[in-house]
Amino acid sequence: MQNDLRCMFKKVLIFDVVIGITLVILTQWLFRNYSLVVLLGLGIAFINFIANGMITEYALLNKTIKYKIIAFISFITRVVIVCVIALVLFKINKFNVVAYMLGYSLQFISLTLYGII
């Protein structure tokens, strides 16, 4: 893995941890039952981000059709995994999906902060 990619992952992880700590404090205060679900969404988003970065880097360094197919299959697999987790959470409690989506969407704040800084 390239050093710039590692550096980006570390910085985004720091932003995610800060957002996660802030989020746990807020959700424990306001919506106690959903704090773990929000953190799950943020964690899944970060894992998905790392997988996307590594697979994209691998596909760009090896510019053959085989690696483009692998990138497409990994994209579909990651989307299916995120959706399956959302469906399981929905079966438990339909409001869990809202908390999960909130946590997953908060990853974009980290990415935006990384881009600004």
Side-chain angles (χ1 to χ4, degrees):
M1 187 174 3
Q2 302 290 333
N3 286 336
D4 56 343
L5 192 61
R6 272 194 199 126
C7 181
M8 180 178 66
F9 288 156
K10 287 178 185 176
K11 289 180 182 178
V12 171
L13 177 63
I14 291 169
F15 288 131
D16 277 347
V17 168
V18 170
I19 289 172
I21 290 170
T22 306
L23 199 60
V24 165
I25 291 170
L26 285 175
T27 54
Q28 283 293 323
W29 185 50
L30 297 172
F31 306 105
R32 186 172 296 251
N33 296 335
Y34 300 108
S35 61
L36 290 178
V37 178
V38 172
L39 280 179
L40 175 68
L42 188 61
I44 294 295
F46 184 72
I47 292 169
N48 199 3
F49 175 65
I50 289 176
N52 186 34
M54 291 181 0
I55 291 168
T56 301
E57 179 190 33
Y58 192 67
L60 290 175
L61 293 177
N62 303 308
K63 296 181 180 181
T64 62
I65 194 72
K66 175 182 164 185
Y67 297 105
K68 291 178 183 177
I69 293 170
I70 290 172
F72 180 73
I73 291 171
S74 72
F75 168 75
I76 298 296
T77 304
R78 287 182 287 117
V79 169
V80 168
I81 290 170
V82 169
C83 291
V84 166
I85 292 171
L87 285 172
V88 169
L89 289 172
F90 181 78
K91 287 187 177 187
I92 296 170
N93 181 357
K94 63 183 176 182
F95 295 113
N96 280 343
V97 176
V98 175
Y100 176 69
M101 289 172 33
L102 175 68
Y104 196 88
S105 299
L106 287 174
Q107 175 75 27
F108 293 112
I109 293 175
S110 298
L111 295 174
T112 303
L113 290 174
Y114 172 78
I116 291 171
I117 293 175

